[in-house]
Amino acid sequence: MKIFSKWRVFAAALVLGGALLYGTQPAPVVASDHDDGETNIKSRNLSLTDLYVFREDWQTGNPADNGNLIMVMNTNPRSLPRQQYYFNTEATYSFNIGRQSSANNPVNGQTDLRLDFNFGEPNANGQQSFTMDVVTVANELPTGQITVAGGNTTPAAPLLGNPNPAPVVNNLAVNGQNVTVFAGLREDPFFFDVQAFFKVRAALANAGPAAGFATADFAQDFAKDYNVNSIVVRVPISLLQTQGVAETTFDVWETISLPVDLAARQ
């Protein structure tokens, strides 16, 4: 697997990265850099975009929330507003988690725990059911699994009617603890001035005039008004820890997997 390591922060440390993994057995691996595009053999909903991981109290400011980790996986880039897009029903969307005893440890790419999401066919209302598997891993092999069913996605807003319907919040019980999951369309939070990027790249390659990036007030956001398919998980940090060890540092990366027989067709 190719992993793009960007940064790590302590307390709920993380590595941001993405890869499109074909199959749970050895198979071709293709890295993702926000938008792989769409081809006649690969749908857009197999394209990873951004991963966000943070401790809940960093967002809410409430010290009581410091025991939860928020993980956000975005896929299916450049989705148009108020149109329904679905998660791939043959793929597994995974948060891969590596436990670390210290934020100073090097990243090793080793998965100790995985949160897997599998989606069913959409119903007449555009809603997909899903299951969440909590998989423990040792030496790259699964050693245990808890499967929780009963999750449902939030359908897109209708073309006529309330543009901001209430999201479906799924509360899934795992070993007596509550994991909160949202799955559905959201506005793409990624900010990218693509025109400035190509001008700067050309300038650095001596293939164009000198160029620089505009300030936030004047930059043109290419992702504005585009949506993504998001999986948002609020998970107790204690659920991620080794029993009796209580690690406070985690590496996190995201993958999308296809069964090997399907991967061979790609």
Side-chain angles (χ1 to χ4, degrees), residues 127 152-155 162 164-170 181-186:
Q127 189 172 53
N152 289 290
T153 62
T154 298
N162 181 8
N164 296 299
V168 176
V169 178
N170 301 275
V181 180
F182 165 88
L185 291 165
R186 280 294 179 262

Side-chain angles (χ1 to χ4, degrees), residues 146-185:
I146 299 171
T147 299
V148 185
N152 289 290
T153 62
T154 298
L159 292 176
L160 299 176
N162 181 8
N164 296 299
V168 176
V169 178
N170 301 275
N171 293 296
L172 307 179
V174 180
N175 287 340
Q177 300 194 72
N178 183 61
V179 178
T180 305
V181 180
F182 165 88
L185 291 165

Side-chain angles (χ1 to χ4, degrees), residues 5 156 179 204 234:
S5 300
V179 178
L204 292 174
R234 177 173 63 190

Side-chain angles (χ1 to χ4, degrees), residues 117-178:
F117 293 86
N118 291 277
F119 295 85
E121 294 289 344
N123 62 20
N125 296 319
Q127 189 172 53
Q128 292 178 274
S129 62
F130 68 83
T131 60
M132 179 182 72
D133 296 324
V134 181
V135 183
T136 52
V137 180
N139 298 319
E140 302 303 321
L141 295 174
T143 59
Q145 178 174 314
I146 299 171
T147 299
V148 185
N152 289 290
T153 62
T154 298
L159 292 176
L160 299 176
N162 181 8
N164 296 299
V168 176
V169 178
N170 301 275
N171 293 296
L172 307 179
V174 180
N175 287 340
Q177 300 194 72
N178 183 61

Side-chain angles (χ1 to χ4, degrees), residues 17-246:
L20 176 60
L21 173 61
Y22 291 113
T24 54
Q25 303 295 324
V29 174
V30 181
S32 170
D33 58 354
H34 189 80
D35 189 349
D36 294 326
E38 186 171 16
T39 71
N40 61 345
I41 62 172
K42 184 180 71 65
S43 60
R44 190 184 298 146
N45 60 17
L46 293 175
S47 181
L48 290 163
T49 64
D50 296 302
L51 169 69
Y52 302 91
V53 185
F54 52 91
R55 220 172 58 191
E56 186 178 16
D57 62 313
W58 298 350
Q59 176 70 25
T60 66
N62 182 0
D65 293 331
N66 67 358
N68 296 321
L69 201 65
I70 308 295
M71 298 184 290
V72 182
M73 176 193 303
N74 289 333
T75 67
N76 206 66
R78 294 183 292 110
S79 303
L80 299 177
R82 305 192 78 171
Q83 292 195 33
Q84 182 66 63
Y85 295 86
Y86 299 107
F87 294 93
N88 193 292
T89 58
E90 296 180 295
T92 299
Y93 296 76
S94 302
F95 293 98
N96 299 267
I97 301 160
R99 304 182 182 105
Q100 296 281 9
S101 59
S102 169
N104 296 319
N105 289 353
V107 176
N108 58 24
Q110 176 179 305
T111 301
D112 297 308
L113 189 70
R114 208 173 62 233
L115 302 183
D116 291 345
F117 293 86
N118 291 277
F119 295 85
E121 294 289 344
N123 62 20
N125 296 319
Q127 189 172 53
Q128 292 178 274
S129 62
F130 68 83
T131 60
M132 179 182 72
D133 296 324
V134 181
V135 183
T136 52
V137 180
N139 298 319
E140 302 303 321
L141 295 174
T143 59
Q145 178 174 314
I146 299 171
T147 299
V148 185
N152 289 290
T153 62
T154 298
L159 292 176
L160 299 176
N162 181 8
N164 296 299
V168 176
V169 178
N170 301 275
N171 293 296
L172 307 179
V174 180
N175 287 340
Q177 300 194 72
N178 183 61
V179 178
T180 305
V181 180
F182 165 88
L185 291 165
R186 280 294 179 262
E187 185 177 356
D188 192 342
F190 185 68
F191 190 104
F192 183 37
D193 188 339
V194 65
Q195 293 186 12
F197 168 79
F198 284 115
K199 290 178 181 179
V200 170
R201 190 175 72 168
L204 292 174
N206 296 318
F213 289 101
T215 64
D217 292 337
F218 296 98
Q220 301 298 311
D221 182 14
F222 170 77
K224 183 180 179 181
D225 296 327
Y226 281 132
N227 285 342
V228 288
N229 277 350
S230 292
I231 302 174
V232 183
V233 181
R234 177 173 63 190
V235 57
I237 292 174
S238 59
L239 190 64
L240 307 178
Q241 296 167 329
T242 306
Q243 188 173 6
V245 177

